[in-house]
Amino acid sequence: MALKLKEKQNYSKALTSTLGATLLDDGCFFSVWAPLATSIIIHFYTFEEEPLGSIKLVERRGGFWFGCVEGVKAEDCYAIEAQGEDKPEAGLYFKAGRLLVDPYAKALNRPIIYNESLYKENSAAFIPKAVVLGRDDFDWDGVKKPDLERNSAIIYEAHVKGMTKLNKEIPPSLRGTYLGLAHPVTIAHLKRLGVTVVQLMPIAASMSEPFLVQRGLSNYWGYNPLCFMAPDPRYATSARNAVTEFKTMVRELHRNKIAVILDVVYNHTAEGGLDGPVLSYKGLDAKRYYAYATKEEGSRDFLQYLNVTGCGNSFNVDSNISLRLVSEAMRYWITEMQVDGFRFDLAVTVGREYSDSRNYRFTRHAAFFKYCFCEQEIDRALLIAEPWDVGWDGYQLGRFPAGWSEQNDKFRDSVRCFWRGDPGLLGVFATRLMGSRDNFAKRTRSINASLNYVTYHDGFSLEDLVSYNSKHNELNLEANRDGANETTSYNFGVEGKTTDPDILKKRRQMKRNLLASVLISQGMPHILGGDEFSRTQHGNNNAYCQDNDLSYTHWERTAENDDLIDFIGLLCRVRLSSVILKDLNLDDDNFHLRADSFLVRWRKSDGHLMESEDWNNPQIKSFLLYIGDRDSQGERWCFIINQGANEINYKLPSVPDNKMWMAIVDTSEENGVPQRYSNAGGLESWVAPNSIKVLRMIETKNREFVSEGLEYIRHRNRRDFDYKFHR
């Protein structure tokens, strides 16, 4: 059937309820927001980009151009041409003949790769085409989302490509793809670790910055989005199947009780600033999609993009159309694609509004946050903020609304410095261990508001954190000027790789201390994918442009890596077995009102309580945290933290006659299972130098049962091991 604009249209209700392309029984309905354009033309193509014809939309209501085109079928593709004035000083970027990607595209027929000459001379060849999707007939096979509470979230951050690209146990055609991440080998590994959430680095279609392309590099991380709703075709075995393959990945992870959250970038786009390319938003309504500086008389200066993101532009969620796009994108991922939540990159930008038509400020009462609260599907999703951007007053840790969790960089820095050996941090470390209530106030924020981590995609990997004192970013071709200068790291005497067995042993123990600190602390734990395999970036702490094996996970099955994987698995299972570790409820915190409540005591090695002056005494380098149910028959724990260089014997708290203290984690052991300082040798009260020891009160009759379970952990090949520690 030839393309034809349907006459006598009556789609007034549809145009206000949907944007983009919607396939109907009598054609495909298109709605485009471009209030200042003089005309809108839709250009149609086959999936392989053979031209099919063009249709000019002739109806407009307010800022919406719309029309129903007969002859369009599923998998046909299109691009938008918006005509009008090309006057950047007025915020106008219309141009005849320039094709644009629909901001509401839910699939693209190919990735977008920046090419200067094509961009300037052949727009049709440069721009990928939006795909018209048919009715959703994906078979979810009855698999539902995991019934995951925030207090049971253990997050594993992964890059779709980097996680499986080098895994030889996965078929070559699937490595580095959505299906590779859904492969049984990958899922078995995640289950062995014991994580419950996979956080995917950006998978929305993105474009590498022009300056990177000129250097022969690319934006591997993907934090430069073109579309907010289209899964990047780069990670599909076939661009035609990108949506289906993404859904398959989510379904298979859900089938194994692993939730999926997306790292989303709603703070800027790939269009850059004033000199950046016109790809989509600029060419339709730059005035509303972006934020600008304000002139003295109060009007917007469209020649000065506000750049609170450091990426050239700031997406203005204070405007109606931008908020609508972001909200519809979130709802689409949650409902159609069945993801479980989001991590918001530079989330302060999303919460900025023009408070008095001049100042672009963050407010926890922004319309964006109100929308998230009012939309039930979003409100009950997992929402994590990166609580800063680079603009004025951009650091907002602890100031996001209740119900949100926030990346706690103070946890990261305090824990790193503490285990590096910095003095005077005993009290700070204890504060981080208990949920950073100096930043996340009791009664107003959940104990899980703090997202605890020591490594993230940006910065050193865990292996590099204990192997380098300084960054080594020369491969980024910026003369080592990029990336954070302060690394809060320690190399233990040698910068980088070494064969010294003593240094290697110290590094391994330090990694276990750092990971244990994350997994036993109050809050939501976050692990960086690849750390369990001792992944190194050779000192590069800003590897965003390294799409190569420097960034990929090397699935090396060494004895040391197996021990570290087992160690993480042990800690995850310990955490998930405990109410106290997941969701502490104290008498002075009524954010959650529950029947149970817990006691907390801080003790010195002689059994006496820590006094206020002890926290600042440089001679004291250890403490015991005694925490548990007020009912003496309930759940109780001892966490012994020893920053010092000497082993210490602790007087353990007394227990009822039918109870005993069982040592279950010891970071001085390669796989975390107590051996030298265990109950078997009568040394459960001793703690090794520079280590963490975890003891749990158990019933005496369960002693042998727990001991056998710990012994079992020492053996190899335990992918399906799921031991539950008994109270």
Side-chain angles (χ1 to χ4, degrees):
M1 178 185 293
L3 299 178
K4 178 182 178 183
L5 190 65
K6 193 174 180 64
E7 298 179 358
K8 298 181 180 180
Q9 302 175 59
N10 184 22
Y11 293 101
S12 58
K13 291 184 179 179
L15 74 92
T16 58
S17 62
T18 184
L19 279 159
T22 305
L23 199 61
L24 306 172
D25 292 335
D26 55 351
C28 187
F29 178 76
F30 291 88
S31 180
V32 178
W33 172 266
L36 298 178
T38 57
S39 66
I40 293 292
I41 302 171
I42 309 294
H43 297 269
F44 294 92
Y45 301 84
T46 66
F47 197 90
E48 293 75 22
E49 299 197 27
E50 293 294 326
L52 294 173
S54 303
I55 295 290
K56 184 176 183 179
L57 301 182
V58 297
E59 294 196 51
R60 189 186 69 152
R61 178 171 298 181
F64 298 92
W65 295 82
F66 62 99
C68 187
V69 181
E70 295 179 319
V72 177
K73 61 184 183 303
E75 293 194 358
D76 284 346
C77 299
Y78 68 97
I80 299 171
E81 179 184 348
Q83 298 181 346
E85 285 191 273
D86 187 6
K87 194 174 182 181
E89 64 271 21
L92 303 175
Y93 293 84
F94 302 112
K95 185 177 181 180
R98 178 163 59 201
L99 301 191
L100 306 170
V101 175
D102 187 350
Y104 282 79
K106 295 182 174 65
L108 298 180
N109 72 324
R110 57 179 167 87
I112 181 169
I113 301 173
Y114 187 75
N115 181 298
E116 185 80 15
S117 61
L118 283 182
Y119 169 67
K120 292 181 176 180
E121 301 168 10
N122 191 344
S123 177
F126 171 65
I127 287 292
K129 310 306 182 290
V131 182
V132 175
L133 296 183
R135 289 175 174 79
D136 182 15
D137 58 356
F138 181 78
D139 183 6
W140 290 98
D141 198 25
V143 176
K144 303 297 183 183
K145 291 185 178 184
D147 187 16
L148 180 73
E149 297 290 339
R150 289 175 67 203
N151 58 22
S152 296
I154 301 177
I155 297 173
Y156 180 93
E157 183 184 16
H159 189 285
V160 170
K161 181 177 182 179
M163 184 173 182
T164 63
K165 186 65 176 176
L166 301 180
N167 191 332
K168 295 180 180 179
E169 298 180 45
I170 294 175
S173 63
L174 301 184
R175 295 174 195 167
T177 69
Y178 301 119
L179 297 182
L181 207 147
H183 193 274
V185 167
T186 310
I187 291 176
H189 176 68
L190 295 171
K191 293 176 73 175
R192 180 182 176 190
L193 285 171
V195 298
T196 61
V197 180
V198 170
Q199 176 180 306
L200 298 179
M201 291 175 68
I203 54 83
S206 65
M207 184 187 81
S208 293
E209 295 84 346
F211 77 88
L212 284 179
V213 175
Q214 292 170 3
R215 297 174 185 171
L217 300 172
S218 63
N219 191 323
Y220 165 70
W221 285 353
Y223 290 92
N224 203 39
L226 173 64
C227 297
F228 292 163
M229 289 187 250
D232 203 312
R234 290 177 180 88
Y235 307 137
T237 63
S238 165
R240 193 182 297 270
N241 299 323
V243 172
T244 298
E245 292 184 13
F246 180 89
K247 290 180 177 179
T248 301
M249 175 193 67
V250 173
R251 182 189 66 196
E252 295 312 304
L253 287 167
H254 282 178
R255 192 191 302 275
N256 288 276
K257 309 303 181 186
I258 299 172
V260 180
I261 63 175
L262 303 183
D263 194 335
V264 289
V265 185
Y266 297 145
N267 58 77
H268 77 281
T269 77
E271 292 187 304
L274 185 64
D275 297 328
V278 180
L279 308 171
S280 178
Y281 312 92
K282 272 185 185 177
L284 295 172
D285 191 9
K287 296 176 68 171
R288 292 174 179 82
Y289 278 124
Y290 295 111
Y292 300 91
T294 306
K295 297 178 182 179
E296 285 297 322
E297 79 279 5
S299 64
R300 298 282 182 265
D301 182 356
F302 295 112
L303 294 178
Q304 188 175 346
Y305 283 71
L306 283 179
N307 186 18
V308 299
T309 64
C311 302
N313 61 51
S314 304
F315 200 71
N316 182 27
V317 185
D318 190 27
S319 76
N320 289 345
I321 190 60
S322 295
L323 178 58
R324 175 171 179 165
L325 175 59
V326 168
S327 64
E328 290 197 19
M330 292 170 63
R331 191 164 59 247
Y332 175 74
W333 289 112
I334 288 284
T335 57
E336 295 291 325
M337 307 294 259
Q338 289 289 292
V339 304
D340 304 281
F342 307 97
R343 178 264 186 184
F344 296 85
D345 179 64
L346 299 180
V348 166
T349 303
V350 189
R352 286 184 182 270
E353 295 184 343
Y354 286 100
S355 57
D356 54 8
S357 298
R358 180 179 295 274
N359 295 309
Y360 196 51
R361 294 176 174 171
F362 172 86
T363 170
R364 65 185 302 176
H365 305 295
F368 170 74
F369 296 125
K370 293 175 181 177
Y371 163 77
C372 291
F373 179 79
C374 294
E375 182 69 38
Q376 187 177 28
E377 292 285 351
I378 305 298
D379 184 50
R380 62 189 182 198
L382 193 57
L383 305 177
I384 300 170
E386 183 180 35
W388 52 77
D389 63 17
V390 301
W392 179 83
D393 201 23
Y395 187 75
Q396 296 289 337
L397 179 69
R399 298 171 189 168
F400 279 70
W404 284 66
S405 295
E406 303 173 37
Q407 276 180 245
N408 188 352
D409 62 320
K410 291 188 176 179
F411 180 97
R412 176 198 64 195
D413 295 342
S414 299
V415 170
R416 286 181 176 186
C417 291
F418 178 83
W419 287 116
R420 185 172 64 176
D422 293 12
L425 294 179
L426 207 63
V428 174
F429 184 88
T431 300
R432 302 293 163 248
L433 191 67
M434 296 301 289
S436 297
R437 286 313 205 175
D438 55 336
N439 298 113
F440 305 99
K442 295 178 180 179
R443 303 182 182 90
T444 61
R445 298 296 298 276
S446 164
I447 193 72
N448 293 303
S450 175
L451 190 285
N452 299 328
Y453 67 103
V454 290
T455 52
Y456 229 88
H457 63 268
D458 50 349
F460 278 159
S461 66
L462 186 63
E463 180 69 19
D464 289 357
L465 190 61
V466 299
S467 303
Y468 294 90
N469 285 345
S470 305
K471 65 180 183 179
H472 299 269
N473 297 357
E474 289 79 10
L475 289 177
N476 297 352
L477 305 182
E478 295 186 40
N480 204 33
R481 292 189 298 267
D482 63 306
N485 292 320
E486 176 52 62
T487 59
T488 55
S489 58
Y490 184 46
N491 66 17
F492 293 90
V494 175
E495 187 75 350
K497 188 175 181 179
T498 182
T499 58
D500 187 311
D502 291 333
I503 293 177
L504 292 174
K505 183 177 181 180
K506 289 176 182 177
R507 288 177 176 178
R508 291 196 300 271
Q509 180 161 338
M510 192 56 57
K511 289 195 294 183
R512 293 192 296 273
N513 287 341
L514 291 163
L515 286 168
S517 300
V518 169
L519 286 162
I520 67 173
S521 292
Q522 296 296 319
M524 191 179 296
H526 172 282
I527 301 168
L528 176 62
D531 279 350
E532 74 273 25
F533 286 108
S534 304
R535 184 178 70 87
T536 177
Q537 296 174 169
H538 303 298
N540 192 323
N541 74 346
N542 189 35
Y544 77 104
C545 56
Q546 299 298 325
D547 188 356
N548 50 57
D549 62 2
L550 184 75
S551 297
Y552 306 158
T553 295
H554 294 249
W555 291 66
E556 296 181 83
R557 303 291 187 183
T558 64
E560 291 80 6
N561 288 344
D562 260 332
D563 279 334
L564 190 57
I565 292 169
D566 290 340
F567 175 73
I568 295 170
L570 171 61
L571 280 167
C572 287
R573 287 167 176 83
V574 167
R575 181 181 183 90
L576 293 174
S577 74
S578 168
V579 174
I580 289 170
L581 287 174
K582 293 188 298 184
D583 202 358
L584 184 67
N585 187 33
L586 299 177
D587 291 340
D588 62 345
D589 182 6
N590 62 1
F591 185 84
H592 289 155
L593 286 178
R594 300 203 312 256
D596 55 348
S597 66
F598 308 117
L599 58 86
V600 174
R601 299 288 185 267
W602 307 90
R603 298 182 183 273
K604 292 179 284 190
S605 59
D606 60 8
H608 289 93
L609 295 176
M610 293 279 288
E611 303 293 343
S612 58
E613 61 270 17
D614 294 328
W615 294 110
N616 299 314
N617 185 343
Q619 302 303 314
I620 300 178
K621 295 183 178 294
S622 68
F623 63 80
L624 182 150
L625 168 59
Y626 176 43
I627 185 170
D629 199 310
R630 290 188 176 279
D631 180 353
S632 62
Q633 297 299 316
E635 179 186 337
R636 292 193 180 182
W637 298 82
C638 285
F639 300 96
I640 307 177
I641 312 296
N642 184 11
Q643 187 195 32
N646 300 311
E647 62 181 9
I648 303 174
N649 185 21
Y650 265 81
K651 182 178 180 181
L652 300 177
S654 60
V655 295
D657 291 340
N658 65 333
K659 301 281 188 176
M660 62 174 290
W661 289 113
M662 172 64 73
I664 59 174
V665 178
D666 186 344
T667 65
S668 71
E669 301 289 355
E670 293 289 346
N671 62 0
V673 178
Q675 297 181 58
R676 292 170 298 160
Y677 301 98
S678 66
N679 291 72
L683 299 177
E684 66 272 14
S685 62
W686 285 80
V687 59
N690 302 119
S691 70
I692 296 176
K693 192 169 187 178
V694 179
L695 302 98
R696 185 168 189 170
M697 189 175 73
I698 67 167
E699 293 185 11
T700 307
K701 65 180 181 180
N702 286 333
R703 172 174 181 160
E704 294 304 320
F705 181 71
V706 175
S707 297
E708 290 172 5
L710 292 171
E711 181 65 33
Y712 186 57
I713 295 175
R714 295 191 180 101
H715 301 305
R716 299 283 178 226
N717 303 318
R718 294 170 304 281
R719 291 187 180 181
D720 297 323
F721 178 61
D722 194 21
Y723 178 73
K724 300 293 185 183
F725 288 97
H726 282 212
R727 296 187 182 182

